[in-house]
Amino acid sequence: VDRLVLEALLQQRGHETTHVPDGESAWELLQRESYPLMFTDLRLPGIDGLELLSRISTLDEQVRPHCVVITASQKHEDLQRALDNGAHDYMLKASGAGALGVRIAIAEQQAQLRARQARGQVLQSALYRISEAAHSAESLDELYESIHAVLSELMQARNFYIALADSET
């Protein structure tokens, strides 16, 4: 019932949801696809939520989801272990739809912030690499090739054009 309520709230907020039956299935899916936000229980069939979180923490920061643990446990030790294993937040089961909606909104904001930070790091790295190419290229063709290589990693385009403009001409 908790999962159905959570899915309904997420869908009402415009999210597409994916449900998997156990921790191993979640891990397999996360290795193939990227999800910005993930909710998990601590008690799962197969690998438990703590092991799943631990595995997720090994993923590259850019594809790692914002992980929220949903649990019935109010034990400080359980919650601390979840955070130590990579959870970003937690919420208690049976909190009510209003409280759950607030926690979802917080998780959305945090996931968006993490995505913007990761994108900013990628762009900063690209700008640095282009700057390095501008200083080290021995010809304009070599510079174009370097810029093209960097931009190819950022865009899903097969072909694109690079042009330099001289403001005076």
Side-chain angles (χ1 to χ4, degrees):
V1 172
D2 291 326
R3 180 183 54 82
L4 294 174
V5 170
L6 177 62
E7 282 182 316
L9 286 171
L10 288 166
Q11 289 168 355
Q12 286 175 356
R13 295 179 69 86
H15 296 282
E16 291 181 32
T17 61
T18 302
H19 167 254
V20 293
D22 54 52
E24 190 65 43
S25 299
W27 175 239
E28 290 172 9
L29 186 62
L30 287 168
Q31 290 178 300
R32 291 190 316 268
E33 297 180 38
S34 179
Y35 290 87
L37 189 54
M38 182 191 85
F39 294 86
T40 187
D41 199 328
L42 288 179
R43 289 165 187 79
L44 300 170
I47 65 169
D48 67 8
L50 291 174
E51 175 62 24
L52 176 60
L53 290 167
S54 181
R55 290 182 186 188
I56 290 170
S57 69
T58 67
L59 294 173
D60 186 270
E61 182 69 30
Q62 295 172 1
V63 297
R64 191 179 314 155
H66 182 82
C67 300
V68 179
V69 170
I70 301 177
T71 182
S73 174
Q74 293 187 33
K75 293 180 183 176
H76 169 75
E77 304 82 35
D78 289 344
L79 302 175
Q80 188 61 54
R81 285 189 2 214
L83 295 172
D84 290 346
N85 278 285
H88 298 100
D89 199 359
Y90 69 90
M91 63 179 70
L92 298 175
K93 287 184 181 181
S95 298
L100 191 55
V102 169
R103 299 304 291 187
I104 290 170
I106 292 169
E108 288 170 334
Q109 290 174 351
Q110 292 299 313
Q112 290 169 356
L113 177 61
R114 286 170 47 87
R116 282 194 304 270
Q117 288 173 335
R119 182 69 177 159
Q121 290 172 347
V122 168
L123 292 175
Q124 185 177 12
S125 172
L127 288 172
Y128 176 79
R129 291 169 49 208
I130 290 171
S131 176
E132 287 293 310
H135 291 294
S136 64
E138 295 183 11
S139 69
L140 203 51
D141 286 338
E142 185 180 331
L143 176 59
Y144 281 148
E145 286 178 29
S146 296
I147 293 172
H148 192 277
V150 171
L151 294 179
S152 294
E153 296 172 11
L154 300 176
M155 297 192 292
Q156 296 293 327
R158 290 168 124 203
N159 294 311
F160 54 88
Y161 297 95
I162 301 168
L164 296 179
D166 182 346
S167 61
E168 294 179 17
T169 60

